[in-house]
Amino acid sequence: MKVLFYTPQSDTAAWLRDLSHALPDVDLREWQPGDDAPADVAVVWRPPREMLAGRNDLRAIFNLGAGVDAILALEREHPGTLPRGAQLVRLEDTGMAQQMAEYVTHAVLRYMRRFDEYDLLQKQQRWHVLDPHPRETFTVGVLGLGVLGSHVAQTLVSLGFPVRGFSRGARQVEGVETFAGDAEFDAFLDGVKVLVNLLPHTPETHGVLNKASLSKLARGAYLVNIARGAHLIEQDLLDALDEGQIAAATLDVFVHEPLPSQHPFWKHPRIAITPHISALTLREESVVQIAQKIGALKRGEAIGGIVDIARGY
């Protein structure tokens, strides 16, 4: 089996080394411009169009991440980029769920205990005790109940928070009040105190965090976005913060990354920024999963993580 590898990041050599150790019986090579030699599988992160277009010999394309929106955007912009018959496969967890649960738990506890406000008081050199928000009414709404979202939701349940979850199709998650489909979206949002976004980015979810959706949350709600920057209408968040509808926001993802130095988010006192680190791709765990799935393909076995191209995840 011939495997192509590509990432624009600087750790290509480490990936190739680990994949070679995990897949000693495959012919593994790094893709370079002009390489049109036969290949059965591609392992990629943000590949250029010319790497994939016309490669109808590919059986599968493994994406080095859970989100495949960059590849699907390439296909929408240049139809025919994805080879006919090639399965698009995303990573399934590989340590990301635990990282995201830690990130969200930190943000939710920070807001519930009002540590964000204590940070402001410290800058003012003010000694002032604030009552924490009542846990029993500090409802957390998780947008997206896939593998990652479900784990985040159940982690919050274990801490005693009332948790709601929203997904496109009906799902059941123990301890979580679930809502599904457009007809139940407003009911899901109504009264939520912390909205956590873990949705996949698709044309249907683009801009879902907007004036209308933010206005349906509890007055003085909080926003945590760890999915994609394109989910958020940035000016609508700034307006909601100015109006007091949103009390504060924790943002890990942005429309433009790195976030431009002059962007108003940087200096906003009620916005906390992290540089897209809520869940880093862990190479060791990812290599194990990819190697197992490539082995299954060689044996003609079914694999998980196959993306429904029409749905976008």
Side-chain angles (χ1 to χ4, degrees):
M1 178 174 281
K2 300 180 185 299
V3 178
L4 281 178
F5 179 84
Y6 175 84
T7 176
Q9 298 173 345
S10 60
D11 54 353
T12 296
W15 277 100
L16 289 171
R17 179 197 65 219
D18 291 353
L19 283 167
S20 294
H21 289 162
L23 296 165
D25 298 328
V26 306
D27 178 1
L28 173 67
R29 71 181 189 272
E30 180 185 1
W31 181 84
Q32 302 285 353
D35 179 352
D36 59 0
D40 304 292
V41 171
V43 179
V44 302
W45 178 247
R46 295 187 177 274
R49 178 179 182 274
E50 56 267 29
M51 179 185 179
L52 300 178
R55 280 194 170 276
N56 294 323
D57 51 348
L58 286 179
R59 296 170 55 190
I61 301 167
F62 288 86
N63 186 61
L64 293 176
V68 294
D69 45 307
I71 291 180
L72 295 182
L74 198 61
E75 173 65 21
R76 287 193 297 272
E77 294 166 9
H78 305 284
T81 296
L82 289 177
R84 295 190 305 271
Q87 296 176 318
L88 180 57
V89 187
R90 57 178 173 79
L91 288 180
E92 296 179 285
D93 191 358
T94 63
M96 287 182 281
Q98 181 62 31
Q99 293 179 75
M100 286 190 167
E102 293 166 351
Y103 187 102
V104 172
T105 297
H106 174 271
V108 171
L109 289 174
R110 180 169 178 260
Y111 291 138
M112 192 270 287
R113 292 292 305 273
R114 303 177 72 172
F115 292 135
D116 61 317
E117 296 174 72
Y118 284 121
D119 287 344
L120 297 176
L121 289 171
Q122 179 178 343
K123 291 180 174 64
Q124 301 166 17
Q125 295 179 301
R126 291 179 58 199
W127 183 280
H128 179 62
V129 177
L130 302 169
D131 291 330
H133 294 287
R135 185 185 301 265
E136 61 272 14
T137 60
F138 206 69
T139 302
V140 183
V142 179
L143 272 172
L145 288 177
V147 172
L148 303 179
S150 295
H151 184 76
V152 168
Q154 289 187 305
T155 299
L156 294 169
V157 168
S158 72
L159 293 171
F161 290 101
V163 181
R164 298 178 186 175
F166 178 86
S167 55
R168 179 174 177 176
R171 290 180 181 269
Q172 298 298 317
V173 180
E174 186 175 357
V176 178
E177 183 183 10
T178 56
F179 299 77
D182 293 342
E184 296 184 357
F185 187 57
D186 287 356
F188 161 77
L189 294 171
D190 185 34
V192 161
K193 194 64 176 178
V194 186
L195 182 63
V196 178
N197 180 40
L198 279 149
L199 286 170
H201 179 226
T202 69
E204 291 73 26
T205 64
H206 187 93
V208 68
L209 305 174
N210 54 41
K211 180 178 180 179
S213 58
L214 297 177
S215 70
K216 293 179 173 65
L217 304 175
R219 178 75 176 172
Y222 302 91
L223 174 66
V224 180
N225 187 19
I226 58 175
R228 288 292 185 267
H231 285 128
L232 174 65
I233 303 299
E234 295 179 342
Q235 188 58 51
D236 287 1
L237 172 59
L238 291 169
D239 292 344
L241 286 163
D242 289 345
E243 296 161 5
Q245 172 58 22
I246 298 298
T250 296
L251 307 177
D252 185 54
V253 289
F254 306 90
V255 174
H256 301 291
E257 296 180 2
L259 188 65
S261 61
Q262 299 304 309
H263 198 287
F265 283 176
W266 278 117
K267 294 185 178 180
H268 198 290
R270 303 300 287 147
I271 294 179
I273 289 171
T274 52
H276 205 143
I277 51 79
S278 62
L280 301 174
T281 298
L282 303 179
R283 189 173 64 249
E284 182 176 338
E285 290 83 345
S286 300
V287 165
V288 169
Q289 184 177 125
I290 291 168
Q292 289 174 343
K293 290 184 177 182
I294 288 177
L297 284 177
K298 289 175 65 176
R299 296 187 297 271
E301 299 170 359
I303 61 174
I306 297 173
V307 175
D308 183 328
I309 302 298
R311 299 180 71 176
Y313 56 92

